[in-house]
Amino acid sequence: MHVTMNVNGEEVTGEIEGRLLLIHFLRDHLGLTGTHWGCDTSNCGTCVVWLDGEPVKSCTVLAAMAGGHEVRTVEGLERDGELDPVQRGFMECHGLQCGFCTPGMMMTARALLDRNPDPSEGEIREAISGQICRCTGYASIVRSVRWAAAHEAADREPADHEPADREPADHEPAPQKPVVLEPATDVTSGATP
């Protein structure tokens, strides 16, 4: 069968079998190997791409089902030679070790930040809960997403204004908060001297 879809902003066409999965169309027909294929059971989430702006596991979508729709892969995160803040965050905060789950994590993280520009750690963990990372323990992935969120917020701030609640990058010293000393309490009487 003949299929046409928009992939990373370009119209692509191909002759495919009706049973071909989107992951295989992207990797084998289009050569977009950034999207990884992992478990074959839709559990690991390494194959996450966007279908009409929504993250989907491309091992559960037939290529024919994507016909006429927009698909965005990890290769589509970079714009005009500039890495997406999520990609930069994964580099700055060491959000990857083996890198196998990284493309799917990045696509999910980008979708999260598009919906919620300042997610909490819990919200980040919930967003990536459908994906498995066997190396990092997730802490560095969460830090990477927070880094991206903080740097996108800083980019939205006027140049002469430093946001008060911006998290510093790993290489920046943390801002020092003033120490407020409470009056000492006399342990024997409970009175303040």
Side-chain angles (χ1 to χ4, degrees), residues 4-70:
T4 300
M5 65 185 76
N6 183 303
V7 178
N8 297 330
E10 294 182 22
E11 187 173 288
V12 297
T13 61
E15 291 296 324
I16 61 168
E17 291 185 33
R19 63 183 178 166
L20 184 71
L21 295 172
L22 180 57
I23 180 70
H24 298 302
F25 180 71
L26 295 170
R27 290 181 58 85
D28 302 337
H29 291 252
L30 302 181
L32 296 172
T33 56
T35 303
H36 293 163
W37 175 44
C39 64
D40 238 0
T41 61
S42 80
N43 288 318
C44 72
T46 63
C47 66
V48 169
V49 299
W50 291 4
L51 184 62
D52 292 336
E54 289 296 319
V56 298
K57 293 179 180 178
S58 59
C59 73
T60 63
V61 177
L62 294 172
M65 294 167 65
H69 295 277
E70 292 186 14

Side-chain angles (χ1 to χ4, degrees), residues 7 15 24 56 59 64 72 75 77 93 103-104 115 125 137 184 187:
V7 178
E15 291 296 324
H24 298 302
V56 298
C59 73
R72 188 172 179 196
E75 290 92 345
L77 287 180
C93 299
R115 288 190 310 270
R125 288 183 178 275
V187 184

Side-chain angles (χ1 to χ4, degrees), residues 72-79 84 87 106-107 110:
R72 188 172 179 196
T73 71
V74 70
E75 290 92 345
L77 287 180
E78 179 185 358
R79 299 288 186 178
D84 185 271
Q87 292 171 308
M106 287 182 177
M107 296 305 292
R110 178 73 268 155

